Amino acid sequence: MSLLITGGTGYIGSHTVVELLKQNQSVIIVDNLVNSSIKVLDRIQTITGKTVTFIKADICDAKAMDAIFNEHKISAVVHFAGLKAVGESNEIPLTYYHNNVSGTITLLQIMAKHHVKSLVFSSSATVYGEDNQSPLDESMPTSATNPYGMTKLMIENILFDLAKSDPQWSIVCLRYFNPIGAHESGLIGENPHGIPNNLLPYVAQVAIGRLEQLQVFGDDYDTHDGTGVRDYIHVVDLALGHVQALAKLPQLTGCHAINLGTGNGTSVLEIVEKFEEISGKHIAYTIVSRRAGDLASVYAKADLAKSLLNWQAQRDLHTMIADTWRWQSQNPKGY
Ligand code: NAD
Ligand code: WQD
């Protein structure tokens, strides 16, 4: 039996594949490479000494997905495939709803047809919307402020309805906070196309000299230094959360939403300072006005993952930034 990993050549997917291979799991990746590189496969092989089956296909393509389930014995699916840029989702919402929501429905229909009813889904802390106070816990009301966030919320709701309709489903929606870092080998990491939207890849590209200076979006938030506070989590810890979720799935019938965060908040200026200290590079920055849609402070209550999955983040901020820097300095232009 194999695990099917949609979006497995992407940032979080590739790190999860490494951890699954390390546990001797048989893994099949399906990815259309819209936001990832085929070179990831060689890197995964170098790290693990194992090969992984790769199928280039779109999750929206029902025929191709059906063929995968016909040809392989799949026990469970980890579903990372999706578009994830918040700003872009405002510009091309239909593309986001089609790719993320319709693509997931297609995947679920094919899974049901083949009686594969175990799923781990990549959700996001974005489903907490803007009305809740951190620490955010899973019982809080959900909402969305942009089409990307709405796709995550819609998919979660679809998954809750599906599990209610058929008790054979076991589903875990993992709500990630802010994944950063890279594998300790420096061989795989986050590889954004164009100018990064997220803080860490931006800072890393300033440090390596690809970008001139960071724009800090606001220093007048109600936080200890006025800049935005987030719950950064090492991508390898996140990957291990998926390994644990898969292990616990048989006992977790129904649909469960679970935070994957550290429970700690770090400000933008603290990230800049730590990055300078670890890389030995100067990070030039300027304070600009707030970015629309940003919140002051977002961090997790991380207790449910501990009790349900026996999982807790282990890697500290120093490791997260040191690993980000190793990846960036060894791969200045990405893959
Ligand atoms: P990523 O873009 O690196 O990986 C997503 C992968 O899915 C890419 O390899 C892409 O090529 C593939 N893909 C997209 N649409 C596809 C389709 N229709 N068919 C097949 N493959 C497709 O992103 P990531 O950071 O690894 O994120 C993985 C998942 O986690 C996404 O669903 C994302 O929304 C979610 N998530 C990410 C973050 C984050 O900050 N990185 C936070 C919360 C949730
Ligand atoms: C972090 C902090 C910014 C860039 C996003 C998505 C969310 C989730 C994770 C997928 C904030 C500040 C950033 C910059 C800055 N993704 N910042 N200058 O916004 O918390 O979350 O990624 O589900 O849905 O919204 O992450 O890394 O963009 O920002 O000052 O150039 O850094 O204001 O305080 P965010 P981020």
Side-chain angles (χ1 to χ4, degrees), residues 49-305:
K50 293 180 181 155
T51 45
V52 43
T53 306
F54 173 72
I55 300 162
K56 185 172 183 227
D58 194 309
I59 56 159
C60 300
D61 182 345
K63 255 189 163 169
M65 295 305 291
D66 197 35
I68 294 172
F69 281 81
N70 277 326
E71 279 163 32
H72 302 273
K73 280 202 172 352
I74 311 281
S75 55
V77 176
V78 188
H79 179 31
F80 294 102
L83 298 173
K84 63 165 183 177
V86 172
E88 185 184 62
S89 80
N90 287 312
E91 288 153 28
I92 47 169
L94 291 182
T95 303
Y96 271 68
Y97 286 113
H98 175 67
N99 193 75
N100 293 6
V101 181
S102 303
T104 300
I105 292 173
T106 300
L107 171 69
L108 294 170
Q109 285 171 329
I110 302 293
M111 287 176 69
K113 180 182 165 194
H114 292 269
H115 309 289
V116 178
K117 297 185 176 178
S118 298
L119 176 75
V120 178
F121 168 63
S122 296
S123 190
S124 167
T126 191
V127 302
Y128 289 110
E130 52 188 8
D131 299 326
N132 295 304
Q133 276 293 100
S134 288
L136 299 169
D137 83 72
E138 293 85 347
S139 66
M140 287 175 166
T142 50
S143 62
T145 53
N146 55 71
Y148 165 72
M150 189 55 84
T151 68
K152 292 293 167 190
L153 194 50
M154 289 170 81
I155 295 167
E156 279 202 3
N157 287 330
I158 290 166
L159 294 175
F160 277 107
D161 286 344
L162 181 61
K164 229 185 284 168
S165 76
D166 176 354
Q168 289 180 343
W169 282 91
S170 297
I171 302 174
V172 169
C173 299
L174 296 175
R175 294 177 174 168
Y176 314 153
F177 280 70
N178 288 60
I180 63 168
H183 190 263
E184 62 180 2
S185 63
L187 287 170
I188 55 173
E190 189 170 10
N191 184 34
H193 290 324
I195 295 178
N197 299 308
N198 294 113
L199 181 64
L200 262 292
Y202 204 109
V203 169
Q205 291 193 17
V206 173
I208 203 80
R210 271 173 75 176
L211 293 169
E212 214 165 287
Q213 63 172 7
L214 171 73
Q215 297 190 315
V216 175
F217 298 141
D219 68 349
D220 56 352
Y221 284 106
D222 185 14
T223 60
H224 62 277
D225 64 13
T227 64
V229 165
R230 295 292 181 272
D231 185 340
Y232 297 97
I233 173 167
H234 197 295
V235 66
V236 174
D237 277 330
L238 204 64
L240 290 168
H242 294 73
V243 175
Q244 279 304 103
L246 281 165
K248 298 283 179 185
L249 264 188
Q251 300 146 47
L252 289 173
T253 52
C255 182
H256 305 261
I258 304 175
N259 289 341
L260 291 187
T262 65
N264 303 318
T266 305
S267 75
V268 176
L269 291 182
E270 284 168 339
I271 291 280
V272 170
E273 195 182 319
K274 197 90 187 149
F275 211 104
E276 286 189 325
E277 176 195 316
I278 290 169
S279 66
K281 303 281 179 187
H282 173 61
I283 312 292
Y285 71 83
T286 169
I287 309 285
V288 299
S289 50
R290 295 179 180 194
R291 181 172 66 179
D294 274 357
L295 300 175
S297 193
V298 179
Y299 54 94
K301 188 160 190 298
D303 302 17
L304 193 60

Side-chain angles (χ1 to χ4, degrees), residues 1-4 25-28 53 72-77 116:
M1 295 290 259
S2 297
L3 298 166
L4 184 69
Q25 303 265 16
S26 165
V27 168
I28 298 167
T53 306
H72 302 273
K73 280 202 172 352
I74 311 281
S75 55
V77 176
V116 178

